[in-house]
Amino acid sequence: MSELIRPEIIGNNTVVIHLSGEVDVNLLPDLESVTKPFIENQAITAFVLDCQHLEFIDSKIVGYIAYLRTTLTKGQRSLSIAAMNETINDILSLVGLNQIIPNFESPEQAMTNKTS
Amino acid sequence: MPHSKPKQIIEINLPASLNFSSLLRSISGEVFKQARFPGAWCNRLKLVTDELFMNAVRYGSTPETSVIRIRFILEGDRVEFLISDDGTGTRKTTPEALQELISKNGKTQSIANTSGRGLAIIGQLWTDGLTVTKSELGGMTVGFVKTAEATPPPPLPEVDVSDILHADVPAIEFVFEQDINPDSIESIAAQVDEKIQTLSSGDTFILDFSRVTYINSLFIGRLAGWHNEVKKHHGVIAIKNANPQIKDVLNLVGLNKVICII
């Protein structure tokens, strides 16, 4: 499993997926493997993608984030993005994901918001 | 009298493997930086070159066997990028047909008007235009030109909603017998392509999604391509029995505007 994708469970119901470096089509299987157990675990109600150290994503990762968003929303669960830089915001803007997925300055802010 | 910078050509041959995507991104970033592109534009153009490389590997080459040729031509603050494949992949179209699709997309500003959704958007927004020609390796050369600029990219295009879906017309149906994953997508797509060739003018082509639980971006690109093919037959595509998640994805990317979801 790639060290560039690291899940962290916070409390009983939140998972923060820390993404680092360049996450592209080659790492899509890893991203799917990391997130799948949490998607299947209905006790996890909030997902946060921590992009603080993320430098690049390609269209395949954008597609997977879109899938995550729709899947989680259908189950009344949340997906948010934290600390994305201008490059990631640019790429997500291509399909409008930056407008429909709440984004915050830090994972902490994202978690505070989801409980408020 | 000031001397203008001489033209510089950087040529790289990479194996047709996505394992080299990262290397190409790194080189691209450095080239655009050397050409004095602002940092934000260097990152945008890295994505453009990355998508073009992915397409050349996936559709224009034999993975792990073919070689992909990449050229950067720098002249002042202008960079031309060219990527050539040997045409041994699954892509069936001609350079002229692909170029026509891209040009048509420029006129209609519809994300569904090229086979690669991401490529269509970024080609339109982030370059001075994509060109497609026959490559010296036997396949296609796709290229773009970009001049250094500090301005932000233009706003995203509106999705084309002009297509009116037909009713009460003959229908041909295709049932996906299994879920679609990266391993099966090529063989399933070939079956769909074959079925499309049997359509008569004005037919509705119905895709039955009852056994499909998940679609990824590759499949979305295929759907857009099928939409264009069926349109050539003056017909339309309809999707039936899609689950709510798939419908949401189709809505999200705007394909619900050109494909009838029933």
Side-chain angles (χ1 to χ4, degrees):
Chain A
M1 196 64 67
S2 171
E3 293 174 355
L4 301 180
I5 303 166
R6 184 175 59 83
E8 180 186 10
I9 298 173
I10 309 284
N12 297 323
N13 62 359
T14 300
V15 62
V16 178
I17 312 285
H18 301 280
L19 303 170
S20 309
E22 298 192 339
V23 179
D24 65 9
V25 62
N26 296 300
L27 291 180
L28 181 57
D30 285 7
L31 182 58
E32 288 174 329
S33 298
V34 165
T35 50
K36 192 176 176 212
F38 300 111
I39 293 171
E40 290 171 351
N41 180 356
Q42 298 296 323
I44 302 292
T45 56
F47 287 61
V48 178
L49 297 178
D50 174 14
C51 302
Q52 187 178 356
H53 300 291
L54 182 63
E55 295 164 9
F56 178 86
I57 54 172
D58 66 13
S59 62
K60 303 298 173 268
I61 303 301
V62 172
Y64 189 70
I65 294 174
Y67 159 74
L68 262 186
R69 188 261 176 192
T70 52
T71 301
L72 296 174
T73 304
K74 277 289 161 191
Q76 308 291 313
R77 300 191 278 174
S78 71
L79 172 67
S80 34
I81 295 178
M84 66 175 164
N85 64 26
E86 185 189 6
T87 301
I88 305 302
N89 184 54
D90 245 12
I91 296 170
L92 291 180
S93 73
L94 286 169
V95 289
L97 277 177
N98 61 334
Q99 292 171 25
I100 59 172
I101 300 177
N103 55 81
F104 301 92
E105 287 184 7
S106 67
E108 293 73 24
Q109 280 192 14
M111 286 184 283
T112 304
N113 183 276
K114 63 100 185 164
T115 55
S116 64
Chain B
M1 189 174 165
H3 293 282
S4 58
K5 255 185 156 180
K7 185 191 278 192
Q8 294 177 294
I9 300 176
I10 301 166
E11 183 173 303
I12 309 155
N13 291 315
L14 289 177
S17 165
L18 294 178
N19 292 332
F20 290 92
S21 299
S22 176
L23 175 63
L24 176 62
R25 287 197 297 271
S26 174
I27 294 169
S28 298
E30 195 56 39
V31 168
F32 289 111
K33 190 174 155 193
Q34 289 296 324
R36 301 182 184 281
F37 279 67
W41 275 107
C42 290
N43 290 328
R44 287 171 194 137
L45 294 168
K46 264 166 66 172
L47 178 63
V48 180
T49 58
D50 184 75
E51 295 288 330
L52 290 173
F53 182 67
M54 197 184 316
N55 278 9
V57 171
R58 284 184 181 276
Y59 307 118
S61 310
T62 307
E64 315 294 342
T65 303
S66 301
V67 166
I68 292 177
R69 182 166 298 160
I70 292 141
R71 260 165 296 178
F72 295 92
I73 303 169
L74 291 82
E75 205 170 4
D77 60 354
R78 175 184 184 274
V79 175
E80 183 175 7
F81 174 83
L82 298 162
I83 182 164
S84 305
D85 59 54
D86 63 11
T88 58
T90 56
R91 188 203 294 126
K92 296 291 183 282
T93 189
T94 62
E96 294 76 19
L98 187 57
Q99 180 72 68
E100 192 184 340
L101 273 179
I102 291 170
S103 303
K104 201 188 292 177
N105 181 57
K107 286 173 193 158
T108 63
Q109 294 201 326
S110 166
I111 61 168
N113 274 348
T114 67
S115 58
R117 177 172 60 94
L119 179 62
I121 299 173
I122 62 177
Q124 193 166 334
L125 293 179
W126 288 354
T127 76
D128 297 340
L130 293 176
T131 58
V132 189
T133 54
K134 193 166 167 45
S135 89
E136 71 276 19
L137 300 179
M140 290 190 199
T141 297
V142 182
F144 69 82
V145 172
K146 187 70 188 169
T147 303
E149 58 178 294
T151 55
L156 290 169
E158 292 295 322
V159 174
D160 180 11
V161 293
S162 61
D163 286 286
I164 305 298
L165 297 169
H166 301 254
D168 300 318
V169 294
I172 303 286
E173 194 164 322
F174 183 89
V175 181
F176 291 95
E177 296 292 349
Q178 61 185 66
D179 223 331
I180 297 152
N181 57 51
D183 293 326
S184 64
I185 188 167
E186 292 301 333
S187 62
I188 293 172
Q191 294 171 43
V192 175
D193 290 339
E194 201 176 320
K195 196 84 172 176
I196 288 174
Q197 293 314 311
T198 68
L199 295 179
S200 300
S201 182
D203 279 353
T204 295
F205 186 44
I206 298 175
L207 300 174
D208 187 339
F209 274 45
S210 50
R211 293 176 194 165
V212 180
T213 59
Y214 161 70
I215 57 173
N216 61 17
S217 59
L218 277 179
F219 189 75
I220 291 169
R222 288 287 186 168
L223 271 178
W226 292 330
H227 162 71
N228 293 322
E229 273 303 307
V230 171
K231 213 172 161 187
K232 283 183 197 165
H233 291 79
H234 307 290
V236 290
I237 288 190
I239 290 174
K240 72 175 186 182
N241 298 324
N243 69 30
Q245 286 80 9
I246 290 176
K247 283 181 182 172
D248 270 3
V249 172
L250 294 173
N251 291 344
L252 187 67
V253 300
L255 277 175
N256 61 317
K257 305 281 176 59
V258 293
I259 292 176
C260 181
I261 300 168
I262 51 181

